[in-house]
Amino acid sequence: MGLSRRTFNALAGTTVLGLALGGSGVGGHAYAAPAPTAGPPRADGRRHAVGFDRYSLLVDGRRLVLWSGEMHPFRLPSPSLWRDVLQKMRAHGYNAVSIYVAWNYHSAAPGHYDFTGIRDLDLFLRMAAETGLYVILRPGPYINAEIDGGGFPGWLTVTEGTARTADPTYLAAVDEWLTRVDAIVARHQYTRGTGTVLLYQIENEYDAFVTDPTGPAYMSHLYKKVRADGIDVPLFHNDKSRNGYWLPGSFDTGGEKGRWLYGFDGYPTPSQDPPDWGAFGAGGVKGGATASRETPGFVPEFGGGWFDPWGGVWFQKKGYAESRRTRDAAYERRFYLTNLANGITLHNVYMTFGGTSWGWLPAPVVYTSYDYGAAFDEGRGATAKLVPMHQLGHLLQRVPDFARLERAADLTADGLKVYHLTNPDTGAHVHILRNDATAQVTSTLPVDGVDLPVTVPARDARLLASQLRLGQRTLRYSTAQPMLALIAGRQEVAVLTGRSGESTVTALECANKPTVTVLDGAAEHTYADGLLRIEAQLDGLTRLSVTGDGPATPLLLLLADDDTSLRLWPRDTPSGTALAHGPRLLRTVTLDGTTAHLTGDTVTAAELEVWPPRGIDQLTWNGKPLATVTSPSGSLRAVRELPGVGAVTLPALTGWRHRAENPEAEPDFDDSRWQKADRTTSFSTTPVPAGQPVLFADDYGFHYGDVWYRGHLTGAADARSVSLAYSTGTQGLLMAWLDGRPLGTHRMPVPDNSTVRKGTWADTATFELPEGTGTRVLSVLVRRMQHDQDGMALDTHKAARGLTGVTFDGASPTVSWRIQGAAAADPVRGPQNHGGLHGERAGWHLPGAADGDWTRVTFPRADRRQGVSWYRTTFSLAVPTGTDASVGLVLDDDPARAYRVQLFLNGWNLGQYINDVGPQHTFVLPNGILRTRGTNTLALAVLSDGTTESGPGQVRLTLLGAAAGGIPITPVPSPGH
């Protein structure tokens, strides 16, 4: 166990470095106490100064390392759950949240903007401030984000003018959008003390027209517009792939200087070695942070996972579990620590919580789930990826030296890549050791004349520190990673971490021989030549008390393995810092007199101990008082364990009722109220065939979901076949009928590696026609899928969706076309919730729809018909009060059966399942939309091509996770029929 005695004695004989107090040192070393970093923000009503230099942000003159996570409120349509995710992020070390604001999500039509309900941006920003998180706000107007049209509203597809340029028509629409967004954002800026918005992004990954006058003119317009709207925090742009585009001074900012940050994004693959995008790199304008040497290193997006396309080709059809496995905690340590070594002090992890691209929100490249393989999964569950985020986040907030680091003399350790940095103000040294090999490496690192033994697992990394101030003491060196340094009550607390089972050695500078007491765990300690050396193996939580070494304040040294570090929760209060240990999550700490009120979650029974601020001698947990004792380490320890979560029982889904639809295919269907499709011109990038009318769905106001066409044919008696040209997003399809008789189905292919990013798919379906005379009716249903994202600023979001042209072989009939899509936008759920299926227009997806005369059925089903069928049932849940249960819906069937399903829970379209494509089978049902204590309505709209038997097969509920605790849930309105 531990280091060998020989190695330990060798370390004990190293040269002394005395304890530094008041900026003076012993043995020729002098350490200045680092200036405190900016603390957790809140809307405190005071004005704040937000600036930066080449090292970091400066908030009220204090340095701030930004450790941010991306989440999108629009991908979690239950506002109560926003608070849940924000609290989890804050507890796990994040000090900021980055959000996109999607134009299409808030605007169903020109001049119409909705910031209420699930779209309440004001509410989200208030929650972020209440949670103590800074906000990086990213409202576009273009955001990409794997969302329909890159965030452009559907109605923009039918406007004149080129998007993402200085075109006046486009800019007029942009100004309207920004005016509405900025009116909300302006009153939540940290500079005003009325919120915590710290940074604001204009555009996103804009690499078009950089050398063309329209590009700088466009960026200048956005900059000046945002400033005119009262946004006074620093602005930035996210450069795609480190091109050095839109550096400070590259466009007109109206004379304002020093308020523009250069940022770049990066999504390196796990198979590559982490790149040096900064201080240790090649430099220059394409070197990442070196492109803008007078602004701090800033990555507005860095890979916290990766998205998965229809068919799952990138992850071997294993879905986001494989994304999370390949971009795991070791990946994060290797890549994020490399960024830190390269001077990145503004770091945003995309995604930290991915969520769900529900309804018709997803871009063509992704399916419903946007789990992303992120640190928090789609069901809001914490994953093992949180270990490095938790440790590094708290370190960067609690130990100020990391806000200003410069390269130091190169060091070597055999088999490892070594980065050596120092803080020129404090003399602290940071050593980042990276193992890019496929086997574990054990080596030595020369630190202050000592060959420090180090072990780095395969394809992993670690951070070590030397000459680092931990409060009033100096850490000479340690083979464990520092995580925390704080004052709790009447003692200083320092936390060092590492892998479970690792042997560690830690040396603290002590002017006097200390009194050391091992309070918990096993550790050996010696003192010689001004150094206290502690040897221990990481196993749970080892506690040591250090007193009498010089400083008047005792030190509690905690050595924690990775799992234990995830159960250490620091929390600042107006009376000082509290540190809690034990439960799965600590959400809040509030003080009232001599009582600390804690809220949080448990999964299994857990101990609770708290090192509170002075004067606190009582605890409550989730509102219940706890009996406590004072431990030898100075904590208040609950006498009894906190209870774990109880059983959650989910019902079987039975009582299904069924009804077939698509009356639109019948020849006698009345389509007289449908729109005539007789336009002759379009602003689409798709050409209109000569001599034919415009059939593009967007030109008739149908921007989301399925669209129906009915062509009334005269003179078609000799027609042998019809060719239907159509254009969709990924996995679109077309079905056709003539006089009610199915002609067949055509579908776009499943993407492969070469086509996975293809946003618009165009093809022609040709069907033979049965004989007939007189006026005939051709009915066509197109599942249009979504708009292209237009990532290259080529107006590709305007590519047609739906039919694009129709020709006949053997005759040239006259065709009178009518078109029908989605009804008016749902006033609560919004325009992306439904499309043009008959059942959607009739409200069959809504709670309370009359289904008493529908046929009772059981699953699995074995229908075989072309078209649409609906299934409905209700189910009741009785999740115990005080239990946060995350529930999913699972669909399973023989993958040879060709059909797809839209899932509606209480009227909310929570996604699309394609049985023979995948890879998604489980769909999250977010609490608030899901009534966890009440009755729910589930509706399935099944679209089948008739070539195989079509399901559903197995449909069941599954428990994705459960915890005792959680947050109060406000039901999301779910209007019925």
Side-chain angles (χ1 to χ4, degrees):
M1 171 181 174
L3 298 174
S4 69
R5 179 61 53 195
R6 182 175 181 180
T7 303
F8 186 76
N9 289 337
L11 292 170
T14 56
T15 306
V16 62
L17 284 180
L19 173 66
L21 292 174
S24 63
V26 179
H29 292 260
Y31 310 117
T37 56
R42 59 189 180 93
D44 56 11
R46 298 189 298 110
R47 293 272 178 175
H48 296 279
V50 180
F52 53 84
D53 62 13
R54 69 187 182 94
Y55 295 104
S56 72
L57 289 177
L58 295 167
V59 177
D60 296 330
R62 293 184 172 187
R63 294 201 175 277
L64 175 67
V65 178
L66 210 61
W67 194 246
S68 172
E70 185 90 10
M71 73 165 290
H72 300 150
F74 57 81
R75 284 190 161 112
L76 186 56
S78 177
S80 297
L81 298 183
W82 298 345
R83 188 182 300 276
D84 175 72
V85 174
L86 291 172
Q87 287 183 348
K88 288 173 177 173
M89 290 175 62
R90 179 75 182 90
H92 281 290
Y94 297 87
N95 61 358
V97 59
S98 173
I99 64 166
Y100 278 132
V101 188
W103 188 357
N104 59 359
Y105 192 64
H106 294 275
S107 182
H112 294 269
Y113 293 89
D114 183 1
F115 288 95
T116 65
I118 61 170
R119 294 168 173 79
D120 193 340
L121 177 61
D122 185 86
L123 174 62
F124 181 90
L125 295 178
R126 291 201 310 271
M127 286 183 178
E130 291 163 1
T131 307
L133 290 169
Y134 293 106
V135 177
I136 303 173
L137 195 98
R138 308 205 289 160
Y142 176 81
I143 63 172
N144 188 288
E146 286 75 60
I147 191 174
D148 180 89
F152 286 152
W155 56 262
L156 195 69
T157 64
V158 295
T159 60
E160 190 176 10
T162 303
R164 307 185 75 186
T165 71
D167 182 278
T169 302
Y170 169 69
L171 290 183
V174 165
D175 286 353
E176 184 178 89
W177 162 242
L178 292 178
T179 295
R180 300 299 185 97
V181 173
D182 293 345
I184 297 170
V185 176
R187 61 178 182 263
H188 287 277
Q189 296 180 96
Y190 194 57
T191 47
R192 299 187 182 184
T194 51
T196 56
V197 174
L198 190 71
L199 301 173
Y200 182 113
Q201 178 179 313
I202 60 174
E203 250 291 340
N204 185 58
E205 298 181 329
Y206 185 53
D207 59 358
F209 308 108
V210 176
T211 59
D212 186 292
T214 194
Y218 174 44
M219 293 294 287
S220 178
H221 178 93
L222 295 177
Y223 191 103
K224 294 174 183 177
K225 166 60 180 171
V226 168
R227 287 293 188 232
D229 285 346
I231 305 301
D232 58 18
V233 297
L235 308 180
F236 70 96
H237 173 262
N238 175 34
D239 184 16
K240 180 170 63 176
S241 302
R242 301 154 308 284
N243 294 296
Y245 295 157
W246 313 120
L247 297 170
S250 60
F251 60 91
D252 179 17
T253 57
E256 184 177 66
K257 296 182 179 180
R259 303 290 291 161
W260 175 257
L261 286 160
Y262 172 72
F264 61 93
D265 64 16
Y267 292 88
T269 62
S271 60
Q272 74 181 95
D273 292 343
D276 290 317
W277 288 331
F280 286 83
V285 295
K286 294 185 179 296
T290 57
S292 180
R293 294 188 178 276
E294 299 308 310
T295 60
F298 184 11
V299 282
E301 295 181 24
F302 195 83
W306 191 243
F307 63 83
D308 197 26
W310 282 110
V313 65
W314 277 338
F315 295 115
Q316 297 81 50
K317 298 186 178 182
K318 298 177 182 178
Y320 284 112
E322 185 69 4
S323 176
R324 186 170 289 109
R325 186 191 70 79
T326 56
R327 291 163 173 84
D328 59 5
Y331 168 92
E332 292 180 318
R333 279 188 289 267
R334 290 177 71 221
F335 286 84
Y336 301 171
L337 286 176
T338 299
N339 283 350
L340 183 64
N342 275 271
I344 308 300
T345 58
L346 287 78
H347 198 285
N348 180 53
V349 179
Y350 188 107
M351 299 292 296
T352 291
F353 168 76
T356 305
S357 299
W358 59 280
W360 295 105
L361 280 173
V365 293
V366 292
Y367 47 89
T368 297
S369 175
Y370 201 66
D371 176 283
Y372 217 78
F376 295 99
D377 65 27
E378 188 181 2
R380 299 176 288 112
T383 73
K385 291 180 64 165
L386 278 168
V387 170
M389 304 309 299
H390 184 91
Q391 294 171 349
L392 290 171
H394 288 302
L395 172 68
L396 297 174
Q397 291 183 57
R398 301 282 171 179
V399 182
D401 300 77
F402 293 89
R404 186 185 179 199
L405 293 175
E406 294 182 346
R407 287 192 65 170
D410 289 343
L411 299 176
T412 60
D414 290 346
L416 299 173
K417 171 81 172 179
V418 178
Y419 298 90
H420 181 200
L421 303 108
T422 187
N423 185 308
D425 296 331
T426 67
H429 289 258
V430 175
H431 313 277
I432 292 172
L433 296 86
R434 201 179 75 214
N435 179 6
D436 294 328
T438 56
Q440 178 174 288
V441 171
T442 296
S443 186
T444 57
L445 178 73
V447 176
D448 283 318
V450 176
D451 288 331
L452 201 62
V454 290
T455 297
V456 183
R459 302 190 69 75
D460 208 330
R462 65 189 318 146
L463 180 152
L464 306 180
S466 60
Q467 299 171 20
L468 179 71
R469 289 296 295 268
L470 298 177
Q472 298 180 57
R473 293 166 175 83
T474 299
L475 176 71
R476 174 76 71 84
Y477 53 74
S478 179
T479 58
Q481 176 180 299
M483 173 179 152
L484 289 175
L486 52 83
I487 295 176
R490 299 181 182 274
Q491 64 184 343
E492 293 185 337
V493 181
V495 178
L496 304 176
T497 67
R499 309 298 88 77
S500 179
E502 286 184 342
S503 297
T504 64
V505 60
T506 299
L508 291 173
E509 297 180 1
C510 298
N512 305 317
K513 182 177 180 180
T515 298
V516 181
T517 305
V518 179
L519 303 171
D520 275 304
E524 298 179 25
H525 56 89
T526 60
Y527 175 78
D529 301 325
L531 282 183
L532 169 65
R533 299 166 188 83
I534 300 166
E535 181 186 11
Q537 188 176 71
L538 296 180
D539 180 17
L541 191 63
T542 301
R543 312 159 195 247
L544 300 97
S545 170
V546 180
T547 59
D549 56 327
T553 307
L555 170 67
L556 176 65
L557 180 64
L558 303 178
L559 303 175
D561 61 23
D562 283 345
D563 287 344
T564 304
S565 74
L566 279 177
R567 302 294 175 260
L568 287 168
W569 310 103
R571 182 53 60 103
D572 294 311
T573 78
S575 298
T577 303
L579 177 64
H581 168 244
R584 182 63 62 95
L585 176 69
L586 179 68
R587 294 181 179 273
T588 63
V589 178
T590 56
L591 306 183
D592 181 11
T594 62
T595 302
H597 301 279
L598 287 73
T599 67
D601 298 357
T602 59
V603 176
T604 58
E607 294 182 348
L608 173 67
E609 63 176 323
V610 179
W611 291 270
R614 292 186 183 185
I616 300 298
D617 57 14
Q618 298 179 73
L619 302 177
T620 71
W621 177 256
N622 290 338
K624 296 181 180 179
L626 301 175
T628 62
V629 295
T630 302
S631 76
S633 65
S635 65
L636 293 176
R637 181 174 291 175
V639 173
R640 288 178 293 276
E641 288 186 327
L642 304 176
V645 65
V648 175
T649 301
L650 300 178
L653 296 177
T654 58
W656 290 96
R657 292 179 178 270
H658 166 256
R659 183 172 180 179
E661 60 135 284
N662 50 274
E664 301 91 340
E666 299 303 320
D668 58 352
F669 178 79
D670 181 6
D671 60 19
S672 60
R673 294 185 180 181
W674 288 19
Q675 289 192 47
K676 290 184 177 181
D678 56 4
R679 297 175 181 264
T680 57
T681 61
S682 173
F683 293 124
S684 172
T685 55
T686 302
V688 179
Q692 295 196 37
V694 175
L695 296 176
F696 314 155
D698 286 295
D699 284 79
Y700 298 94
F702 304 124
H703 304 305
Y704 308 105
D706 298 304
V707 62
W708 274 96
Y709 298 85
R710 282 173 59 87
H712 295 263
L713 317 180
T714 57
D718 296 328
R720 293 185 294 271
S721 66
V722 61
S723 294
L724 305 171
Y726 73 117
S727 177
T728 72
T730 307
Q731 283 302 286
L733 62 73
L734 171 151
M735 294 179 173
W737 294 259
L738 184 66
D739 298 333
R741 295 174 59 183
L743 298 179
T745 296
H746 186 281
R747 52 191 290 182
M748 299 298 179
V750 179
D752 57 22
N753 274 317
S754 65
T755 58
V756 71
R757 290 182 177 274
K758 184 177 178 180
T760 294
W761 298 68
D763 207 339
T764 299
T766 300
F767 303 108
E768 293 189 5
L769 298 178
E771 294 182 358
T773 59
T775 300
R776 312 192 73 181
V777 179
L778 176 64
S779 302
V780 181
L781 172 64
V782 180
R783 175 142 294 178
R784 43 167 297 152
M785 305 301 278
Q786 289 85 6
H787 301 92
D788 188 282
Q789 290 186 101
D790 195 21
M792 299 179 68
L794 299 175
D795 256 5
T796 53
H797 65 288
K798 293 182 179 179
R801 292 295 183 261
L803 287 178
T804 57
V806 180
T807 58
F808 295 85
D809 178 48
S812 299
T814 300
V815 187
S816 174
W817 286 103
R818 290 187 180 268
I819 184 172
Q820 182 63 70
D826 188 308
V828 172
R829 302 175 180 95
Q832 290 92 2
N833 191 67
H834 60 274
L837 296 181
H838 175 81
E840 291 174 302
R841 298 181 61 79
W844 293 356
H845 61 300
L846 299 174
D851 59 10
D853 60 345
W854 290 24
T855 304
R856 290 186 178 273
V857 296
T858 58
F859 292 158
R861 294 287 293 165
D863 293 344
R864 192 178 186 121
R865 65 182 294 269
Q866 176 179 292
V868 186
S869 293
W870 284 77
Y871 300 86
R872 285 171 56 92
T873 191
T874 60
F875 63 93
S876 296
L877 296 179
V879 175
T881 301
T883 295
D884 177 12
S886 180
V887 178
L889 184 74
V890 179
L891 288 87
D892 281 317
D893 206 346
D894 179 349
R897 300 173 73 181
Y899 68 93
R900 53 188 69 189
V901 183
Q902 288 183 80
L903 318 173
F904 293 93
L905 176 69
N906 297 326
W908 292 83
N909 181 351
L910 294 184
Q912 182 177 185
Y913 168 77
I914 306 183
N915 182 65
D916 56 340
V917 174
Q920 184 175 7
H921 288 266
T922 301
F923 295 79
V924 174
L925 309 178
N927 296 347
I929 289 176
L930 178 70
R931 307 299 192 239
T932 57
R933 294 183 62 80
T935 302
N936 298 272
T937 299
L938 181 63
L940 309 179
V942 178
L943 184 62
S944 54
D945 63 15
T947 62
T948 68
E949 291 182 339
S950 63
Q954 183 184 84
V955 183
R956 58 185 170 85
L957 299 175
T958 187
L959 186 64
L960 302 174
I967 44 92
I969 300 294
T970 299
V972 178
S974 295
H977 187 58

